[in-house]
Amino acid sequence: MDETWDLPEHPELRDGDVLLRRHTATDLDAVVEQCRDADTVRFTTVPTPYGRADAEGFTAGLTAAWDRGEVAGWAVEAGGRFAGTVDLRHRPAGWAEIGFGLAPWARGRGVMTRAARLALAWGFDELHLAGVHWQAVVGNTASWRVAQKCGFRREGEVRGLLVHRGERLDGWIGSLLASELVRTAAPSGA
Ligand SMILES: CC(C)(COP(=O)(O)OP(=O)(O)OC[C@H]1O[C@@H](n2cnc3c(N)ncnc32)[C@H](O)[C@@H]1OP(=O)(O)O)[C@@H](O)C(=O)NCCC(=O)NCCS
């Protein structure tokens, strides 16, 4: 009963010039560029080397995972340009896990904090999530800052928490309850 969500039509969510929308075929080149970035390789599970077929599989996989109710994922646009991805992955009994990544050009100006807040607000409001977990490789301070600015509590450092390309890495883990989300002032659905 609780293995997936019953997701609605894919919504667009907006906060100023940050837009969350479904991925399209026009995003593929930018996905490839993003996923060849050194920090993306270091801190996420993207395949490496990363080619156009990986980007096609990733975007098609996200669409299929939405249809199956397993992942609520969005392309992040900043100023009208594809900048990255944010997603909420289904976990049993009313929880989700958040994942995100941005192209280097879009980093360091609050784009992912705004995108994550939009996705989290939608998850709490529309999916009635009780809580969301966040995990990152130990030392991924930029990821932690995003989580912290959304209201997450960092609760531990766990040896061997994450598996990246067959290797176990130590990870940070944190959680956010529905009442704790730091919401962006007056986001509007598009
Ligand atoms: C994590 C990531 C999405 C953050 O996106 P972003 O839009 O740059 O995030 P924000 O601008 O909202 O916040 C980033 C914060 O981290 C800080 N930061 C960035 N790089 C940092 C670093 N190497 N060390 C310390 N702090 C860093 C920024 O100064 C900013 O802090 P501030 O809020 O005090 O100004 C982006 O860095 C990224 O895509 N990294 C590679 C992929 C990745 O790690 N994904 C997450 C996996 S868990």
Side-chain angles (χ1 to χ4, degrees), residues 6-189:
D6 185 13
L7 293 176
E9 281 296 297
H10 202 291
E12 289 195 346
L13 308 171
R14 181 183 286 280
D15 172 21
D17 71 346
V18 174
L19 171 68
L20 270 52
R21 57 153 174 85
R22 66 170 66 228
H23 289 78
T24 71
T26 58
D27 300 328
L28 293 175
D29 289 341
V31 171
V32 172
E33 191 181 338
Q34 176 195 349
C35 293
R36 289 177 176 171
D37 155 67
D39 277 348
T40 302
V41 172
R42 177 179 172 204
F43 290 131
T44 79
T45 58
V46 290
T48 183
Y50 197 97
R52 196 174 168 88
D54 296 305
E56 288 169 352
F58 170 70
T59 55
L62 265 185
T63 300
W66 185 289
D67 292 342
R68 291 196 301 269
E70 293 172 357
V71 182
W74 290 265
V76 178
E77 263 187 27
R81 179 177 170 191
F82 175 86
T85 295
V86 60
D87 62 53
L88 298 172
R89 302 157 196 179
H90 179 275
R91 296 293 180 260
W95 280 63
E97 182 176 331
I98 191 166
F100 46 72
L102 272 190
W105 66 265
R107 294 177 192 160
R109 48 194 174 98
V111 169
M112 188 50 75
T113 297
R114 288 153 70 195
R117 285 175 177 173
L118 284 170
L120 288 162
W122 185 87
F124 286 124
D125 295 345
E126 302 300 323
L127 304 179
H128 308 294
L129 297 174
V132 178
H133 282 132
W134 160 87
Q135 301 185 15
V137 175
V138 168
N140 191 351
T141 306
S143 179
W144 164 237
R145 283 290 296 147
V146 170
Q148 186 179 39
K149 288 185 284 183
C150 291
F152 278 83
R153 179 190 294 185
R154 196 168 89 197
E155 286 150 322
E157 185 171 315
V158 182
R159 289 174 295 178
L161 179 68
L162 304 165
V163 179
H164 283 199
R165 299 174 213 93
E167 184 188 2
R168 285 250 168 216
L169 301 178
D170 297 348
W172 283 329
I173 187 163
S175 68
L176 175 74
L177 302 181
S179 60
E180 297 167 346
L181 175 64
V182 177
R183 291 174 183 258
T184 302
S188 61

